[in-house]
Amino acid sequence: MRVVIFSGTTEGRALSEETVRLGLETVVCVATEYGRTLQEEHPGAKTLTGRLDAPAMEKVLEGAALCVDATHPYAREASRNIVAAAKKTSVPYKRLVRPKCLLPDDCKVVESATEAARVLEKTTGNILLTTGVKELGAFSRLNPNRLFPRVLPSRESIRLCEENGIPQSHIIAMQGPFSRGLNRALMEQFAIRWLVTKDGGAAGGFPEKIEAAQDLQVPVLVIRRPEETGDTWDEIVKKCKELMACR
């Protein structure tokens, strides 16, 4: 009985531990080598690395008993491909939904990184970007000396920062999630006057970022989270247990 988990998130890695513990053959798909490194800290599952399109996902899903989409809440394209592949192969699909966080009243919600950049054009001061390295291009209209992107410590992340003109001394390459204290220390160290972020939920350290910004009276721009439906952690684990019971 095989379960395929499309992961790259904290809860995806934890779910693979649970399915392995239950005795299910587990295949975990991650996009990057860095994601593979993190996943391999959770032994027992087979890890496949690389960005997959829908046809490649179909090959991985062929014959599986369950497909779990545990990708990041903002990874819309990946989720669309996973849904299409699961439908094509007739594999039951479950979306593991990360609960949203309550947004503070004083934050400004924008629809995209591009909109956030337009807002910031009318401001001054250093900007902490915690939106992911793929969004960097949207901020190219701003002076790169204002930008302090916090990205994963991978070669790809550093390369993309450099390609977008980010000074090396401004690249914060660290693996989160981060505590309130560390967020605050980074904002103080780099004299941050604006925070741009996404609602990555509690698992992504969103509350700690907001709390640190409020401590220092740093205004926050939040890129709106895509609406989605799916299943909770407990519901998906229950489904996995049912698969084992049917063996």
Side-chain angles (χ1 to χ4, degrees):
M1 194 74 72
R2 178 162 54 91
V3 172
V4 178
I5 303 172
F6 292 90
S7 185
T9 58
T10 302
E11 53 267 62
R13 292 187 286 273
L15 181 62
S16 73
E17 278 192 343
E18 184 68 15
T19 55
V20 168
R21 187 187 69 78
L22 290 172
L24 288 163
E25 178 187 352
T26 303
V27 176
V28 180
C29 299
V30 297
T32 65
E33 285 296 331
Y34 186 70
R36 181 187 186 93
T37 300
L38 295 177
Q39 176 60 44
E40 289 181 343
E41 295 176 2
H42 305 264
K46 178 181 179 181
T47 306
L48 302 179
T49 310
R51 301 189 189 280
L52 305 176
D53 57 14
M57 290 175 180
E58 290 171 22
K59 293 180 180 179
V60 175
L61 286 172
E62 197 65 49
L66 181 66
C67 167
V68 180
D69 178 1
T71 58
H72 194 274
Y74 288 79
R76 287 172 285 187
E77 182 179 356
S79 287
R80 283 193 292 268
N81 285 337
I82 296 166
V83 169
K87 185 176 181 180
K88 188 73 177 289
T89 54
S90 300
V91 174
Y93 169 89
K94 294 289 184 181
R95 169 62 175 162
L96 176 56
V97 174
R98 179 183 286 185
K100 292 182 178 181
C101 288
L102 182 65
L103 301 183
D105 293 335
D106 57 353
C107 76
K108 180 176 178 59
V109 179
V110 294
E111 298 301 323
S112 65
T114 300
E115 184 181 344
R118 283 198 295 265
V119 172
L120 291 166
E121 277 187 297
K122 304 172 185 176
T123 70
T124 59
N126 293 344
I127 304 161
L128 177 60
L129 299 176
T130 64
T131 54
V133 73
K134 290 183 179 180
E135 306 280 17
L136 274 180
F139 297 93
S140 60
R141 66 179 66 212
L142 302 174
N143 182 343
N145 290 316
R146 294 182 64 194
L147 305 179
F148 290 79
R150 190 166 69 192
V151 300
L152 291 174
S154 67
R155 291 187 181 91
E156 180 184 14
S157 294
I158 302 301
R159 176 181 61 80
L160 289 172
C161 285
E162 292 175 342
E163 287 180 0
N164 282 278
I166 305 297
Q168 287 188 344
S169 60
H170 288 206
I171 302 171
I172 307 170
M174 303 174 70
Q175 167 66 37
F178 304 94
S179 68
R180 177 179 185 171
L182 183 51
N183 279 303
R184 177 170 175 159
L186 289 171
M187 292 181 192
E188 290 176 323
Q189 173 69 27
F190 296 110
I192 297 301
R193 296 295 174 262
W194 293 88
L195 169 65
V196 186
T197 188
K198 294 177 176 178
D199 176 11
F206 180 78
E208 290 79 5
K209 284 187 281 188
I210 297 300
E211 290 163 358
Q214 290 175 329
D215 288 346
L216 300 173
Q217 297 184 322
V218 170
V220 180
L221 298 182
V222 180
I223 298 174
R224 189 183 303 278
R225 184 164 164 177
E227 292 296 328
E228 62 176 350
T229 58
D231 298 273
T232 66
W233 167 274
D234 288 340
E235 288 168 339
I236 291 179
V237 170
K238 179 182 178 182
K239 176 64 177 178
C240 292
K241 289 179 178 178
E242 289 172 356
L243 290 177
M244 287 301 298
C246 293
R247 291 184 66 177

